[in-house]
Amino acid sequence: MKRVLITGAAGFLGSHLCDKFMAEGYRVVGMDNLITGDLKNIEHLFEEEHFEFYHHDVTKFVHVPGQVDYILHFASPASPIDYLKIPIQTLKVGSLGTHNLLGLAKEKGARILIASTSEVYGDPLVHPQSEEYYGNVNTIGPRGVYDEAKRFQESITMAYHRFHGLETRIARIFNTYGPRMRLNDGRVIPAFIGQALRGEDLTVFGDGQQTRSFCYVDDQVNGLYKLLLSDYAYPVNIGNPDEITILDFAEEIIKLTGTQQKVIFKELPKDDPLQRQPNIDKAREILGWEPKVSRSEGMRKTFEYFKGLSKEELFKSEHKDFTKHNRV
Ligand code: UDP
């Protein structure tokens, strides 16, 4: 049996990756420091014989005894609100954390896939974004801590590939949604659904004409799995090209949830990208992959998940105290 280490295992994407690799017959080692992750996302795996969990911060030296065949580095805060609350952790996990995991991969002779992001394109001046576009990032803006950590992550990963001959894979992940997103992480989908379920107005930032292209998590995980098992070391966009303005999306959520509330407009956050849509030609050609789940189907499943949360969870504001994690 192959053994895979998944960092950020208790998070949204990490937990779905754990499920995927368990289902494909791997031994899975999950790792998470639980700053933004939540054990409830992987609680169902603890009784499995082939699942282990390490409560560890990957910005510190990472030791995993025994065989490791694959590493997937998915530990990172991943919402603009989190970057503001834990900017230093965000920088460290993408830079120092990646360095530690590349070192572990080299030591174990493992192949490593790192979770990069459409944020490397910044507020893109080219549309849709293909892998050849170098991006338009504000290094010192509020998103800079995430964007630059992820850009550094790509650089150091390619350096390990070129200099040490390490087997590396780089996924540029576009907006992805589904069950287990954190209700209060500030991202637009849990924000809108949470507001609808609590009977609050939906907060559209700016005039709502900015666009995003949302990928359902099952599609995302299948794309990541194929990329890991491919032989392609350069970045590959994984996302759904179906683009929509945030205002139109708010109207879709109003219909889906049946809420009586309306849209209200709030200030647009600094450096919020105006448009985002992946060009997925490479994923189609190299991986034979494309998304299969429509937004209406994916959103129905996602709404079911959030409807299942307790009243207490729904009305609880963010319970995590992030401040202590910012010590350097
Ligand atoms: N957004 C919004 N209302 C909210 C939360 C987000 O209008 O309550 C907007 C946000 O300004 C951005 C888009 O929705 O243009 C997607 O935001 P998200 O934080 O989900 O992801 P990202 O900006 O990283 O794509």
Side-chain angles (χ1 to χ4, degrees), residues 78-81 83 117-119 143 146 174-176 181 185-192 195 201-214 245-247 249-250 264-269 271-276:
S79 90
I81 299 264
Y83 317 147
T117 165
S118 54
E119 283 285 321
R143 289 173 180 253
Y146 183 66
F174 282 66
N175 294 67
T176 298
M181 291 186 93
D185 75 355
R187 306 209 70 122
V188 68
I189 290 181
F192 283 174
Q195 288 161 348
D201 290 333
L202 272 60
T203 54
V204 166
F205 296 163
D207 60 7
Q209 291 311 304
Q210 70 273 33
T211 68
R212 292 295 185 273
S213 309
F214 297 109
T245 68
I246 294 301
L247 186 56
F249 185 58
I264 54 169
F265 294 92
K266 294 251 166 118
E267 197 182 335
L268 188 69
D271 297 335
D272 196 295
L274 268 181
Q275 50 182 4
R276 183 180 288 155

Side-chain angles (χ1 to χ4, degrees), residues 43-73:
E43 227 159 51
H44 58 286
L45 295 176
F46 278 81
E47 63 199 28
E48 301 285 342
E49 186 189 343
H50 298 304
F51 182 76
E52 301 163 73
F53 180 74
Y54 287 78
H55 183 188
H56 182 69
D57 177 349
V58 298
T59 68
K60 313 267 167 32
F61 184 83
V62 181
H63 176 66
V64 176
Q67 162 202 352
V68 177
D69 301 288
Y70 299 116
I71 298 174
L72 291 103
H73 182 27

Side-chain angles (χ1 to χ4, degrees), residues 104-176:
L104 180 70
K106 182 160 144 288
E107 171 70 24
K108 299 284 183 184
R111 179 182 298 174
I112 181 167
L113 181 150
I114 59 125
S116 188
T117 165
S118 54
E119 283 285 321
V120 301
Y121 302 123
D123 191 0
L125 305 175
V126 165
H127 193 75
Q129 294 78 53
S130 72
E131 290 85 349
E132 282 68 40
Y133 178 52
Y134 292 160
N136 176 39
V137 172
N138 176 6
T139 57
I140 58 168
R143 289 173 180 253
V145 294
Y146 183 66
D147 300 3
E148 289 303 327
K150 291 293 187 180
R151 288 169 68 99
F152 171 85
Q153 180 183 53
E154 290 196 6
S155 304
I156 193 171
T157 299
M158 284 312 294
Y160 266 71
H161 174 66
R162 294 199 176 106
F163 189 74
H164 291 303
L166 198 70
E167 286 192 33
T168 55
R169 305 287 178 263
I170 299 175
R172 289 196 181 142
I173 298 171
F174 282 66
N175 294 67
T176 298

